[in-house]
Structure formats: structure tokens, C-alpha cells
């Protein structure tokens, strides 16, 4: 399995970041101040814009040693030699992704309940995204909210590295770590914040302070 | 360059065909009666549905010797070993597609005017889709209508095999061939027609009758 520090996982939102340029600026500042993974997610975009933005993000993140994960679009990930992809349950299956990407790329899988967790192909993927932990406004097709008690039981059951995702804001990250997650994935807790560096540092401090 | 008979090129529409199953049925009947290429195009779909439908289409078309082209999604084309991809101007560039697909897959490119035609990378692609020839209702983000006189001048200028596309119905195909196209691409002239076999045979007859 490929190692990846999942502590603070930023999922970029095109609207909250004010477009592609804002996404690259947000990612750069966030990676300089403690974000450990960056995911490009822009379901409304055409692929030319995915490609251009992924290339710009990779150029910004590679010197900082922060991996770039591409949501869903395996062709874009291949085109820019991204660190990996993140797949939802309705995206291409992990077996197809692994075949196309080869053994060295990260593959993450979104799971929202115990059944999806049990069905996750452990030999094909590298980490899990589990959520939504809290209610979220940044994903139109989000699954039902899990809540912290159920999230903790999913964390106890999983055997792969996992991040909690969904509505995690400053002040809500510590409980996710205490529930057993390796890290937290955030969107609006960083994207669109007036002080991105400060927001990242505070989140990272909250996460590290909550470790067992 | 890979050879491909472009005479009658069917672009499947999920709504007009009544969903994935209807697309596969439409493609099978159409291929049995004279369609020479089938393209899967479903911009609203998630990739799992793309994959499942592409696999079903390939299983239906391979025995008939009719190539399956995947619109836009190079990862899906790779996953099912499709005959090739069709790219719009805002999709991944032909150079990226060629690198990901290798030398043996077909790559088509949509062009809507003389500038796009002049910029098409002739060494990287196998055919052109040129349109919309007529007004069309099946593509929300279609370019301005070209019209037959301008279409004929684009046909005279191009050096690659080309199909006309956009609003081509029975009775309108002959003029497209007479304007210089190698074939016609249709959507609603086949998808959703009460007699698909008859519609295909009539179109094919119209096309062959219009050849110089």
C-alpha cells in the first residue's frame, strides 16, 4: 500500500474558491500551512479545464511534497501523472481504476455505510473517505448524514486508513479524530475562508491535539 | 491512419432511446441494418453507468463488426477497449488522448468553423465531425449552425475523413453527402424512431444514392 499522510485533506470547490485560479492559490497556501493532501473535484467542468487546472495544481503542489488526487476522472489523473484518484460509489470501480492506473497510484473510495465499507476491495484501494459525518452544503448528491456515534463504529470496523468527510468545520475536526479517523477532509472550512493560512493552521492544530 | 467507414454514424442519446437498455437495443438494430459506427454520448451520466453501457454496447456491436466510439471519456474507452473516442473542443486535447490511447485507436474531433478545422492536429486524429449542419435539438451546448454552403466549403478545405453532424434527418442526408462529406452522423433520425431498422435502411439508401 502506498503511504499517504491523510491528516488534513483538502477537497477543492470551484465555486467557493472563485474559479480555477482561486483553487490553485487556495491549494498552494493550504499546502504551505499544513494541508497534507489536495483533491481536485469539479463535476460541472469540461475535461480541458480539468486538465489545465490539474497541471497548475501539480506544479504548485509538487515542490511542497503534497500529493494531488483527482476526483473521478482517471483519464485526467493519467494525463497529468497525479498521485492518484478518488472514486465515489457511482464512479468507475476500483478494479478498473487500478488496472488503468497501475500499482503505484493512490486510490481512495467514498463509503457512506457499513455495507459499502464491507464491500470495499481492500486489495485494490489505499484509503477510505467516510461520510458525510455532519450535514454538508457543498455536495449536491451527498448520502444521508452518518453522525458521530455511527461514524465511530465505522472507524472501528475499517481496516484501511480513513478520513472523515462532510460538513467538518473548525471545532468539529477533533471529534472526528477522536472517533478514530486518521484525518479529516474539508471543503468550506478552507475554500473561501478569508484567512486560508490561519484556517489551515487552526484545523491542523485541532487535529493533532485530538490524536490519542 | 485507421480506416473507419463513416457512412452512417449513430450518436446514441440516452433520453431519446429511453435509457441504457434502449440504447443497446437501438445500437444493435441500427448496426444490423446499415449503421457503420456507433458513439456512446451521455454527458449527464456517472462513470459506472458509462462503463456498464459501454460494455453492453461493445458486446452487441463486436459481432457485427461495427466500431464503438466513446464520447469524451477516455478512461471509459480504455476500460472497455473501445475502438476509439470522439472529442469536443473543450474535452481533453487530441495530443493527450493519443498519448493515453496509443496509436491504434480512432480519435475523432468536433469542429464548427474554419479556424477549428485549420487548427485540427492532422497527425493525431483520424476523422472530423463537422457541424451543426442544420439546427439541432439534441445538443444543449451546440455551436452556431453552419448551413450547407459554408459546410461545403469546410468539406473542400479538410484533408481528413469527415462526417456532417447536427439536425440531419431523413431527406437531409443526401445534401450533406453532396456537399462533400464522407458520411452523416445522426441522433434523432434513428434514436427514438418507431421503426429503427426502416429508418436506418432509408438513411443508408439516401446516403449511397447521393455519392458522386
Amino acid at each position: 500500500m502506498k503511504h499517504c499522510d491523510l491528516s488534513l485533506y483538502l477537497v477543492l470547490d470551484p465555486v467557493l474558491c472563485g474559479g480555477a485560479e482561486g483553487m490553485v492559490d487556495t491549494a498552494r497556501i493550504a499546502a504551505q500551512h499544513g494541508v497534507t493532501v489536495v483533491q481536485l473535484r469539479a463535476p460541472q467542468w469540461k475535461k480541458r479545464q480539468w486538465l489545465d487546472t490539474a497541471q497548475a495544481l501539480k506544479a504548485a503542489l509538487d515542490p511542497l511534497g503534497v500529493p494531488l488526487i483527482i476526483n473521478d476522472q482517471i483519464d485526467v489523473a493519467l494525463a497529468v501523472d497525479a498521485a492518484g484518484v478518488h472514486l465515489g460509489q457511482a464512479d468507475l470501480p476500483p478494479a478498473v481504476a487500478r488496472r488503468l492506473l497501475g500499482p503505484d497510484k493512490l486510490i481512495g473510495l467514498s463509503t457512506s455505510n457499513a455495507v459499502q465499507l464491507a464491500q470495499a476491495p481492500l486489495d485494490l484501494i489505499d484509503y477510505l473517505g467516510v461520510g458525510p459525518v455532519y450535514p454538508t452544503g457543498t455536495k449536491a448528491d451527498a448520502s444521508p448524514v452518518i453522525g458521530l456515534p455511527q461514524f465511530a463504529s465505522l472507524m472501528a470496523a475499517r481496516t484501511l486508513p480513513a478520513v472523515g468527510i462532510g460538513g467538518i468545520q473548525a471545532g468539529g475536526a477533533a471529534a472526528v479524530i477522536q472517533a478514530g479517523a486518521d484525518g479529516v477532509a474539508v471543503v468550506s472550512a478552507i475554500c473561501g475562508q478569508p484567512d486560508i493560512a490561519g484556517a489551515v493552521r487552526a484545523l491542523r492544530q485541532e487535529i493533532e491535539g485530538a490524536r490519542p
Side-chain angles (χ1 to χ4, degrees), chain A:
Chain A
M1 193 174 313
K2 280 70 64 190
H3 176 71
C4 179
D5 180 353
L6 296 170
S7 298
L8 183 51
Y9 183 127
L10 170 61
V11 181
L12 293 168
D13 182 277
V15 177
L16 292 176
C17 290
E21 215 172 307
M23 292 165 93
V24 178
D25 290 342
T26 299
R28 184 187 295 106
I29 298 168
Q32 285 166 339
H33 291 275
V35 153
T36 58
V37 192
V38 172
Q39 181 190 125
L40 173 58
R41 180 177 183 277
Q44 307 306 320
W45 281 5
K46 303 285 280 179
K47 297 252 183 145
R48 192 75 63 109
Q49 191 165 11
W50 274 92
L51 179 73
D52 293 344
T53 307
Q55 283 171 331
L57 284 169
K58 191 152 188 293
L61 295 173
D62 274 358
L64 301 167
V66 170
L68 172 66
I69 302 287
I70 303 293
N71 189 289
D72 180 24
Q73 314 283 15
I74 296 171
D75 43 12
V76 175
L78 288 168
V80 305
D81 191 28
V85 299
H86 187 88
L87 303 172
Q89 294 282 325
D91 298 338
L92 288 175
V96 169
R98 180 56 74 202
R99 181 160 59 82
L100 296 179
L101 290 163
D104 298 332
K105 296 298 185 185
L106 292 162
I107 298 180
L109 181 67
S110 293
T111 56
S112 296
N113 55 54
V115 173
Q116 290 177 357
L117 199 67
Q119 289 172 345
L122 305 179
D123 52 329
L124 296 171
I125 65 177
D126 300 288
Y127 75 90
L128 299 160
V130 182
V133 182
Y134 305 114
T136 173
T138 57
K139 190 161 190 286
D141 58 346
S143 299
V145 172
I146 296 175
L148 276 173
Q150 176 62 10
F151 180 77
S153 84
L154 294 174
M155 286 302 102
R158 52 91 188 196
T159 57
L160 280 177
V163 287
I165 188 168
I168 302 173
Q169 300 293 337
V176 174
I177 297 296
Q178 285 155 2
D182 297 294
V184 302
V186 301
V187 184
S188 59
I190 295 177
C191 298
Q193 291 292 325
D195 173 13
I196 288 166
V200 170
R201 283 195 303 262
L203 279 165
R204 191 65 199 269
Q205 196 171 359
E206 183 184 340
I207 289 162
E208 299 311 324
R211 301 264 190 219

